[in-house]
Amino acid sequence: MKRFACEAFKKEMRLRVDFNNMMSGFVKGGITPEELEANAAAYEAAAKGMDEKRGSMKWRELPFNQDEVIKAINAKAKDIRDNFDDFVVLGIGGSALGPIAVHQALCHLRYNDLPSERRGGPRLFIEDNIDPERMESLFEVIDVEHTMFNVITKSGSTSETMSQLLLVTNILREKLGDGWTGHVVATTDHSKGNLIKISKEFGLDTFYVPDGVGGRFSELCPVGLLAAAVCGIDIEELLAGAGYMDEICRTHDIWHNPAYMMAALQMKAVEKGCNINVMMPYADSLKYMADWFAQLWAESLGKAVHTDGSTAHTGQTPVKSLGVTDQHSQVQLYTEGPFDKVITFIGVDKYRSTVEIPHAYDSIPDVAFLSGHTFNELIKCEQFATEYAVRKSGHMNCTVTLPEVNAFTVGQLLCLFQLETAFAGELLGINAFDQPGVEEGKNATYALLGKHGYDEKKKELDAAPKKEARYII
Ligand code: PA5
């Protein structure tokens, strides 16, 4: 029996959300229980909305409905692990940030630098930018003949990803002729877009992004699962963790629903002028969770209109931070700056390593006080001290704690934030699942590069105000 099937393990690994420091008893201007109670009807309506829309929020079912997909992914991952030195993901936004975050969380922190026998699988490169220098540099460190490429685009049309595919196809064809198709796995929509056409025409191995699973909600489908499995991550445990959190978060009672409570608190904080949401993990392994969350929160909640068509301009700006590193760059602002932000700390009870701070300069007390402690104690003390300083200065903050970083807890974390975001969308009365602002930029790019069917957009761009020389110095 796998450990995640055991109730004691689940209980031991359950995430904790501590929102004491959001509340009025702890910070001046904080939220009162009465304010939350006064909003009870809105929370109930939003919770009902979440239930009613569950059928369309297909990402919520991913922990429960992928038995066959998991088998296929694990089989493909084994083949890649056995036969390739490098695995390169081509994708951007929701097709890259989840795989990056989960890899960083669950693999060795210097995974690519390990000898291959310790890695047990290929090196991983996730190419989510099209900087030409970066593209060229990739081919200087990989040997394409021993590399598998996973091209991921749900829409099958994103210019960045399709350009990368064109480049890779060309390079592979030159080296391998028709054999190039054995070096590309596609992950895309089962019927829409251009990648599925290419995939069918050339017989590429293909995984599908299910309907109702938008880019930023897609980590727990093949978008994220293939790269994770290739790097040796137990994807069943990851999904089990997400499923566990989904079950915890089914209650309508926000006092027992961590995702709904976090969303309710953040939206109350916005009403009080906190338009910035800083995520500050105290673990390098969770560093890119803040990047993944930034997209989830920003793209989902930054909307110009409500679902009824009225003007909205909603959203709370996500900021990425890392404990303890950013204590030495950002915390001055978070303690003494304006009361416009909430800090969400992410802590870990038990790090996967214990490192002692040895004795060396016992004759210098101001250095020697560190000796005999561990780095684990030091980072925990600094997290506690920063929470204390932020609270003392009157700034709202909350803490999500993982008992340890493993596939089960990371699955919970992903699900927690996805549900928090969706519930916040319900409270705001906006569509959290589209991204018209992103589409606008994509369409303008198509027009600038002369894509068929974008003539009107090109005219619109040509008619835009011309830059004036006097404003460029
Ligand atoms: O969340 C989203 O939908 C977007 O950020 C997309 O993930 C991003 O634009 C990439 O799109 P695609 O996967 O279609 O290439």
Side-chain angles (χ1 to χ4, degrees):
M1 184 170 84
K2 288 221 175 190
R3 62 181 184 169
F4 56 78
C6 165
E7 287 308 315
F9 174 79
K10 291 188 200 173
K11 222 169 143 193
E12 192 191 344
M13 289 299 146
R14 181 174 168 156
L15 262 50
R16 303 190 304 278
V17 173
D18 175 350
F19 56 95
N20 277 281
N21 292 345
M22 298 292 292
M23 307 303 286
S24 62
F26 294 84
V27 284
K28 196 164 161 265
I31 298 159
T32 63
E34 293 72 28
E35 280 176 284
L36 294 175
E37 291 309 331
N39 255 11
Y43 301 143
E44 179 56 26
K48 280 200 179 122
M50 289 286 287
D51 290 352
E52 281 157 17
K53 289 174 194 151
R54 189 170 178 121
S56 61
M57 295 182 197
K58 299 283 187 215
W59 48 272
R60 294 191 68 178
E61 302 309 324
L62 296 172
F64 311 109
N65 67 3
Q66 292 192 99
D67 288 354
E68 290 310 310
V69 177
I70 291 168
K71 274 187 212 150
I73 286 178
N74 279 333
K76 186 70 191 167
K78 183 177 181 326
D79 175 50
I80 295 167
R81 283 166 72 77
D82 290 347
N83 294 301
F84 293 88
D85 294 338
D86 292 318
F87 185 73
V88 177
V89 171
L90 309 174
I92 196 164
S95 296
L97 291 165
I100 293 170
V102 167
H103 178 262
Q104 175 81 5
L106 297 175
C107 293
H108 192 285
L109 288 180
R110 302 183 200 276
Y111 175 87
N112 276 4
D113 297 328
L114 291 174
S116 62
E117 54 288 1
R118 271 208 62 197
R119 276 200 316 273
R123 294 187 300 173
L124 176 72
F125 299 90
I126 301 181
E127 299 305 313
D128 65 345
N129 204 356
I130 44 164
D131 177 338
E133 291 179 31
R134 176 165 166 181
M135 289 317 307
E136 189 169 86
S137 71
L138 174 70
F139 295 98
E140 285 168 5
V141 299
I142 63 169
D143 174 356
V144 293
E145 293 184 45
H146 299 281
T147 301
M148 176 62 87
F149 294 88
N150 181 199
V151 54
I152 309 177
T153 165
K154 177 178 166 72
S155 63
S157 62
T158 303
S159 301
E160 294 89 338
T161 309
M162 296 313 279
S163 310
Q164 291 175 327
L165 177 62
L166 287 163
L167 177 66
V168 163
T169 305
N170 214 32
I171 292 173
L172 283 171
R173 265 195 186 132
E174 268 177 25
K175 291 259 181 200
L176 304 165
D178 289 346
W180 74 273
T181 55
H183 287 248
V184 179
V185 182
T187 306
T188 191
D189 189 90
H190 60 87
S191 61
K192 288 184 231 129
N194 301 310
L195 182 56
I196 191 66
K197 289 184 202 147
I198 294 169
S199 169
K200 282 185 178 154
E201 182 174 344
F202 294 95
L204 302 180
D205 268 353
T206 304
F207 289 98
Y208 300 105
V209 186
D211 289 338
V213 178
R216 55 195 176 274
F217 291 84
S218 68
E219 169 53 25
L220 296 172
C221 82
V223 167
L225 296 181
L226 181 60
V230 164
C231 295
I233 292 167
D234 184 340
I235 58 173
E236 286 173 87
E237 186 170 302
L238 187 70
L239 290 165
Y244 181 56
M245 183 55 71
D246 184 78
E247 277 160 20
I248 290 170
C249 295
R250 286 181 193 202
T251 174
H252 287 197
D253 177 1
I254 62 163
W255 292 91
H256 291 99
N257 187 321
Y260 290 6
M261 178 56 97
M262 282 177 72
L265 293 169
Q266 291 290 355
M267 294 306 104
K268 266 272 152 241
V270 169
E271 285 172 26
K272 291 172 184 281
C274 292
N275 288 319
I276 298 170
N277 182 350
V278 178
M279 179 166 284
M280 191 166 189
Y282 270 74
D284 271 56
S285 59
L286 300 175
K287 177 177 177 175
Y288 295 118
M289 279 292 158
D291 286 54
W292 171 81
F293 177 77
Q295 185 210 9
L296 185 70
W297 199 245
E299 266 188 23
S300 302
L301 304 184
K303 296 292 152 70
V305 288
H306 294 110
T307 44
D308 66 7
S310 60
T311 301
H313 296 297
T314 54
Q316 189 194 34
T317 305
V319 170
K320 305 173 273 186
S321 189
L322 177 68
V324 304
T325 306
D326 288 317
Q327 286 176 201
H328 299 269
S329 84
Q330 299 173 11
V331 166
Q332 171 64 28
L333 175 70
Y334 300 162
T335 50
E336 296 200 355
F339 293 87
D340 60 356
K341 50 188 84 61
V342 174
I343 323 293
T344 303
F345 296 103
I346 305 185
V348 177
D349 283 337
K350 194 169 167 240
Y351 290 83
R352 288 169 291 200
S353 305
T354 302
V355 178
E356 291 188 359
I357 306 172
H359 289 266
Y361 306 110
D362 284 351
S363 60
I364 308 173
D366 283 353
V367 176
F369 77 96
L370 294 165
S371 303
H373 292 290
T374 59
F375 280 87
N376 308 56
E377 286 174 86
L378 183 59
I379 195 169
K380 291 301 303 171
C381 275
E382 295 206 22
Q383 182 191 332
F384 179 83
T386 305
E387 284 175 24
Y388 171 77
V390 170
R391 184 198 61 73
K392 192 178 163 197
S393 65
H395 291 82
M396 284 192 258
N397 65 90
C398 58
T399 302
V400 180
T401 303
L402 284 70
E404 60 184 48
V405 180
N406 59 40
F408 192 75
T409 56
V410 167
Q412 288 181 67
L413 197 63
L414 294 167
C415 181
L416 175 74
F417 289 139
Q418 290 181 163
L419 290 172
E420 179 192 2
T421 304
F423 192 72
E426 283 297 308
L427 290 175
L428 291 169
I430 50 103
N431 180 354
F433 305 106
D434 64 0
Q435 53 284 324
V438 179
E439 304 306 334
E440 181 62 37
K442 284 187 180 185
N443 292 338
T445 303
Y446 296 150
L448 288 170
L449 290 176
K451 186 172 175 180
H452 177 70
Y454 288 81
D455 300 345
E456 284 307 311
K457 183 57 72 183
K458 180 73 173 56
K459 279 187 206 153
E460 183 190 310
L461 281 160
D462 290 343
K466 298 280 170 288
K467 293 221 167 150
E468 294 183 33
R470 63 187 169 136
Y471 297 140
I472 302 172
I473 54 174

